[in-house]
Amino acid sequence: DQQVKQNSPSLSVQEGRISILNCDYTNSMFDYFLWYKKYPAEGPTFLISISSIKDKNEDGRFTVFLNKSAKHLSLHIVPSQPGDSAVYFCAASAVRGGADGLTFGKGTHLIIQP
Amino acid sequence: KAGVTQTPRYLIKTRGQQVTLSCSPISGHRSVSWYQQTPGQGLQFLFEYFSETQRNKGNFPGRFSGRQFSNSRSEMNVSTLELGDSALYLCASSSRDRGRETQYFGPGTRLLVL
């Protein structure tokens, strides 16, 4: 039973264009969402988060959108750069954030093409 | 601040052996969580320690155990290793910001069981 789903295992985007990574969740108790970026042989790096009381959070080139009614969130990267090529994980938690551990999606491999 | 550190980075064991992995959190972080990453299952939560007490536990067998010391450093132990335990083991320490916890990951320990 996957509570956090990233339905696209991979995504290819041209450099300079917008990358949109999607994530769906099923547990309505989730109230805090995070995106992590992971390079091979490294641990995930925290990118951006959003609380369920918001519908948008922006940090530089990264924007996360949350649609609670659809139980859907997305990460927008504008403009996409070669260094953005990595695996992106969506994660969610309930109540106190890390209290029950983060539930991760299986990741989307983003490939930025020159 | 120094990031989360994990030792060793790589480990090769044989079936039936046991292994201990170590994690030093970011200075000031009191919560440490452990995750297992495998190609098929993605990132799965093992357990979380806070102030030397196990606060949460994922769905893993009792062969997986951990502990946390008074300086917040944590160890994870796997006994009677099985081939399926081959994975990247990630440790994350947490900070709390306005009630929300964000986890910061170490580089991981790559365990290979032969």
Side-chain angles (χ1 to χ4, degrees), chain A residues 37-112:
Chain A
K37 172 182 177 180
K38 187 179 185 300
Y39 293 117
E42 292 184 13
T45 302
F46 169 71
L47 270 178
I48 192 169
S49 62
I50 188 167
S51 164
S52 59
I53 62 173
K54 291 185 169 184
D55 55 18
K56 176 183 173 182
N57 189 24
E58 195 170 350
D59 184 1
R61 296 187 299 114
F62 301 92
T63 303
V64 56
F65 294 92
L66 175 63
N67 183 333
K68 280 187 66 179
S69 60
K71 293 192 177 68
H72 176 84
L73 66 154
S74 60
L75 174 68
H76 293 210
I77 306 173
V78 183
S80 300
Q81 298 174 354
D84 296 331
S85 294
V87 178
Y88 289 78
F89 289 96
C90 167
S93 67
V95 192
R96 294 192 301 115
D100 294 305
L102 292 175
T103 302
F104 283 84
K106 294 201 173 181
T108 295
H109 186 192
L110 176 64
I111 301 161
I112 304 302

